[in-house]
Amino acid sequence: MPPSRLLCAFAIALALVVGGPARAETPAPGVLDKVSFGTNWVAQAEHGGFYQAVADGTYARYGLDVKIVPGGPNVNNRIQLIAGKLDFFMSANSLQSFDAVANNVPVIAVAAIFQKDPQVFLAHPSSKVTKLEDLKPLTLFVSKEGMPTYFQWLKSEYGFSEDKVKPYTSNAQPFLADKNSAMQGYVTSEPFAVEKQAKFTPTVILLADYGFNAYSTLIETRIAFAEKKPDLVQRFVDASIIGWYNYIYGDNAAGNALIKKANPEMTDDLLAYSVDKMKQYGIVDSGDTLKDGIGAMSDERMAAFFGKMVRAGVTRRDVDYRKAYTLRFVNKAVGLDLRPKN
């Protein structure tokens, strides 16, 4: 998913179809439950654990036949989830979850694969940027989606000014031409593109390391689906977690092959770069995951991020953010034995 796609505002109110009482849906031996999972962009390393779980048979071992439905510039898989055409969706970050509650959209986050949002600013080495505050004097290239979201937090928490902002249109050329500028991006992709194109290594400032503590790459499903099929949801979450451990720390060749099949434009060097940066910055495995396992979430962190977004004017204070997620399916230490010991 490109860095500009931080938040898609949904003003969709759908009736929540209430089914029968929750019950386990474990399939009979040898029978796999068919599951559809929509991502929010074309296949890439940032989706790697899900593809890995398909490719190495992890989903099958959990009784699931999973079909991954890639997103893209003209694909809105979240709408497909809400309409009941997909079972799960890969949501961008916690802000989408809050937005769902605010607009009575009956979906819920059941796991957070990324503990750190990958949003960064890239700066030229000559600008001598070493910390977030050093970006203030620079021209900042920010997307139209970034302005009402993370940039409002930068204004609220760090006193940034919109006077220094110019539009970011997924084109690095304006940034490359202005050494006194900084450009938004994802830590897993844009620095790689700059290095390839401009032959220098940009300075990278990860917003998550300065307090922008949104969860990212959340697994989302319909509330009714989670209530009616909790066993299936648990198996999908657990198998996805195992897939992510294997993709990050194990032999991910099978997962990468499936990614390249789904997205022929993907390259081996970008896949390797992205995995390396996910490990280096603790995007997937850091903080609470060290004891609770990949996918971990906490009430305290959700409350803290919600408070920041309220102060920044991004989210309404009267939104009941606790309806945006559930801890029922995570924090079970699934897959901890797969993390390298050293």
Side-chain angles (χ1 to χ4, degrees), residues 53 69 84 115 242 268:
V69 181
Q115 294 297 296
I242 297 297
D268 288 328

Side-chain angles (χ1 to χ4, degrees), residues 31-75:
V31 177
L32 302 181
D33 284 317
K34 290 187 178 298
V35 172
S36 55
F37 173 63
T39 66
N40 56 15
W41 200 244
V42 296
Q44 54 192 280
E46 292 87 336
H47 310 166
F50 303 113
Y51 282 95
Q52 181 73 24
V54 172
D56 68 11
T58 296
Y59 283 133
R61 287 192 293 275
Y62 278 75
L64 303 173
D65 177 7
V66 175
K67 177 183 179 182
I68 298 179
V69 181
N74 300 310
V75 178

Side-chain angles (χ1 to χ4, degrees), residues 107-137:
V107 296
I108 192 166
V110 296
I113 299 301
F114 283 9
Q115 294 297 296
K116 294 183 179 182
D117 192 295
Q119 189 72 53
V120 298
F121 271 105
L122 312 183
H124 291 259
S126 60
S127 65
K128 307 298 183 184
V129 168
T130 61
K131 59 185 182 299
L132 181 64
E133 292 88 339
D134 294 340
L135 295 172
K136 286 184 181 181

Side-chain angles (χ1 to χ4, degrees), residues 35-38 49-50 59 81 87-93 97 107-114 215-222 232-242 244 294-295 297 324-326 329-330:
V35 172
S36 55
F37 173 63
F50 303 113
Y59 283 133
L81 171 73
D87 299 313
F88 297 95
F89 173 67
M90 193 185 80
S91 178
N93 60 32
S97 301
V107 296
I108 192 166
V110 296
I113 299 301
F114 283 9
Y215 291 117
S216 181
T217 308
L218 296 98
I219 299 174
E220 190 175 72
T221 191
R222 295 181 303 282
L232 189 152
V233 173
Q234 187 69 69
R235 285 184 284 127
F236 182 76
V237 169
D238 289 352
S240 298
I241 290 169
I242 297 297
W244 272 100
I294 287 174
M297 296 188 290
Y325 68 99
T326 177
F329 304 103
V330 292

Side-chain angles (χ1 to χ4, degrees), residues 2 57 104 112 125 129 136 147 176 225 282 337:
N104 297 314
V129 168
K136 286 184 181 181
M147 287 304 298
L176 296 178
F225 189 85
D337 57 316

Side-chain angles (χ1 to χ4, degrees), residues 116-195:
K116 294 183 179 182
D117 192 295
Q119 189 72 53
V120 298
F121 271 105
L122 312 183
H124 291 259
S126 60
S127 65
K128 307 298 183 184
V129 168
T130 61
K131 59 185 182 299
L132 181 64
E133 292 88 339
D134 294 340
L135 295 172
K136 286 184 181 181
L138 305 182
T139 297
L140 301 179
F141 291 100
V142 181
S143 70
K144 62 180 181 180
E145 292 86 2
M147 287 304 298
T149 55
Y150 76 81
F151 195 81
Q152 299 308 306
W153 167 79
L154 286 173
K155 289 168 57 180
S156 172
E157 298 283 329
Y158 288 94
F160 276 67
S161 170
E162 294 186 17
D163 294 341
K164 307 296 293 186
V165 173
K166 290 186 177 181
Y168 173 71
T169 60
S170 299
N171 179 6
Q173 286 302 323
F175 162 69
L176 296 178
D178 183 357
K179 293 186 178 181
N180 290 313
S181 71
M183 178 186 81
Q184 73 169 46
Y186 265 14
V187 71
T188 48
S189 55
E190 272 67 24
F192 175 86
V194 168
E195 289 179 23

Side-chain angles (χ1 to χ4, degrees), residues 5 7-12 37-42 69-86 88-92 96 99 105 107 220:
R5 293 170 65 89
L7 174 66
C8 292
F10 284 86
I12 303 167
F37 173 63
T39 66
N40 56 15
W41 200 244
V42 296
V69 181
N74 300 310
V75 178
N76 191 330
N77 276 336
R78 200 178 192 217
I79 293 294
Q80 299 301 307
L81 171 73
I82 297 166
K85 296 181 179 180
L86 292 173
F88 297 95
F89 173 67
M90 193 185 80
S91 178
Q96 279 197 333
D99 183 67
V105 179
V107 296
E220 190 175 72

